[in-house]
Amino acid sequence: MRNIGDCLQLADVLEAMRCLAPVVHQTPMTESATFNALTGSHLHFKLENLQRTGSFKLRGSYNKISHLSLQQAAQGIVTASAGNHAQGVAFSAAEQKIKAKIFMPENTPKAKVQATSDYGAQVVLTGESYQESFEAALMDQQKTGATFIHAFDDYQVMAGQGTVAVEMLKQCPELQTVFVPIGGGGLAAGVATYLKNINRDIRVIGVQSECAPAVYNRYHQREDSIPEHISGIAEGILVKKPGQKTFPIIDQYLDDVVTVSDQEIAQAMILMLERSKLLVEGAGAAALAAVLSGRVSVRGKHAGLIISGGNTDSEQLPVLKQMALSNDAVL
């Protein structure tokens, strides 16, 4: 692979695809008559909740770790994650017999913590959000000399995430709009880089949680303040500030960035469970929430929705159901 410098190129995503082909699943892309009728469009769900480790994050972490030098591998790796990147890193490290230490927020769902530990990584719970875990992981990296594997602000990670879009266009060449959830922006940057270099007419829409709208605010040139506290049901995209490397790509390629509320996300999660029998996490339902809420019209169009992960805590389903039913407009 070319030594990625100060930008992300189409060739990087294609090289990542070759690297990942023996490892990741080509996840299904499905259509639902129920959701098509609800929206008056053709919705194509890219089911990364069925990916190994339960989310798209494996793609970026494996691509990054597979390119470490022997010396870097020997020193081990460290990272921070709200859960899905942690599992991707832990799986990738185990596959390549590399020692991994992973810092996660204290409120990370138990299922994500347990799965990360089960892959053999050392887990440290600290802080209320990704940002605090990130800062703790950086301090540890400085002490140990381990290689830091960033959850999103790394070109090799972005290239790996962009392989989702490679599969999507092969599975559904007629796509006109793609909705992608955004936390720090690694998935959005990789997906948009591929799509816009293949077909600039495809609209790429980023979706953030109203609880953590850092990319939304910067994209729309609104007040760019960093909140002291963030919380919400879509922990996978609750990031306090966008990446320094991801945002310029997002700003260049995305056609729009929208936000959705926790209630709208909960409604989308429950609908997917009841109508499609798919259990997805909050971040994974964000794209559908944006469509159902009418943030962006796709009536009569072919729209791809990246269902980014399925690692949700089933114990939270009663709470989600109550939240969703507090306004049953779409149910």
Side-chain angles (χ1 to χ4, degrees):
M1 184 174 188
R2 178 181 59 81
N3 183 28
I4 300 176
D6 59 356
C7 61
L8 179 66
Q9 302 291 336
L10 174 64
D12 303 320
V13 179
L14 296 175
E15 172 61 26
M17 193 73 227
R18 289 188 285 271
C19 172
L20 296 175
V23 181
V24 303
H25 296 319
Q26 177 174 296
T27 52
M29 200 163 180
T30 64
E31 206 174 340
S32 163
T34 298
F35 287 111
N36 286 353
L38 275 174
T39 60
S41 60
H42 297 278
L43 300 186
H44 304 270
F45 296 88
K46 180 58 172 168
L47 300 180
E48 283 294 289
N49 58 305
L50 301 182
Q51 185 56 261
R52 300 177 79 171
T53 73
S55 92
F56 75 96
K57 286 285 191 177
L58 172 62
R59 297 173 183 266
S61 57
Y62 194 92
N63 190 51
K64 175 66 177 181
I65 292 170
S66 67
H67 287 89
L68 295 179
S69 68
L70 292 176
Q71 181 179 0
Q72 288 173 320
Q75 291 177 316
I77 58 178
V78 63
T79 193
S81 170
N84 288 335
H85 175 66
Q87 293 178 63
V89 168
F91 175 91
S92 302
E95 285 285 296
Q96 300 177 57
K97 297 179 173 56
I98 298 173
K99 183 179 179 181
K101 187 174 184 179
I102 300 174
F103 290 77
M104 305 174 76
E106 294 174 352
N107 64 349
T108 302
K110 294 178 182 178
K112 292 185 178 182
V113 176
Q114 186 62 51
T116 303
S117 297
D118 288 345
Y119 287 122
Q122 178 186 355
V123 176
V124 180
L125 298 178
T126 183
E128 68 162 7
S129 73
Y130 168 79
Q131 189 62 34
E132 288 76 22
S133 297
F134 171 72
E135 292 168 359
L138 281 184
M139 290 180 62
D140 186 83
Q141 186 274 332
Q142 292 170 2
K143 293 178 182 178
T144 64
T147 298
F148 187 83
I149 308 297
H150 204 289
F152 51 84
D153 214 22
D154 179 286
Y155 293 119
Q156 287 176 331
V157 170
M158 291 180 233
Q161 318 303 29
T163 61
V164 173
V166 180
E167 294 180 10
M168 291 178 75
L169 271 192
K170 287 182 179 178
Q171 293 166 312
C172 185
E174 61 267 38
L175 284 178
Q176 296 165 288
T177 304
V178 171
F179 289 82
V180 53
I182 299 181
L187 177 62
V191 164
T193 294
Y194 180 77
L195 293 176
K196 289 298 188 179
N197 279 280
I198 295 295
N199 182 352
R200 294 196 66 87
D201 291 334
I202 296 175
R203 299 175 70 210
V204 184
I205 310 296
V207 185
Q208 285 216 290
S209 166
E210 287 183 355
C211 301
V215 171
Y216 172 85
N217 287 339
R218 189 172 297 183
Y219 182 89
H220 292 286
Q221 299 180 344
R222 300 192 175 194
E223 182 180 355
D224 191 23
S225 60
I226 300 175
E228 184 177 352
H229 303 287
I230 57 173
S231 63
I233 65 172
E235 73 282 344
I237 52 175
L238 296 184
V239 178
K240 287 187 174 181
K241 56 183 180 181
Q244 294 181 357
K245 297 175 182 177
T246 60
F247 184 77
I249 299 172
I250 289 170
D251 194 41
Q252 176 183 355
Y253 285 135
L254 261 65
D255 294 279
D256 200 1
V257 178
V258 300
T259 61
V260 289
S261 68
D262 267 5
Q263 184 184 64
E264 290 164 337
I265 292 171
Q267 289 175 335
M269 292 173 71
I270 296 300
L271 272 173
M272 291 196 74
L273 181 59
E274 293 181 343
R275 308 292 176 85
S276 298
K277 313 308 176 190
L278 291 170
L279 180 62
V280 303
E281 61 188 87
L288 178 59
V291 173
L292 294 177
S293 65
R295 294 292 190 282
V296 180
S297 175
V298 291
R299 182 165 292 276
K301 305 290 187 180
H302 287 273
L305 281 62
I306 299 178
I307 309 304
S308 57
N311 295 313
T312 191
D313 190 342
S314 60
E315 295 178 1
Q316 295 299 312
L317 285 176
V319 175
L320 293 171
K321 182 74 171 180
Q322 183 177 17
M323 184 183 297
L325 290 176
S326 61
N327 181 344
D328 60 4
V330 300
L331 299 176

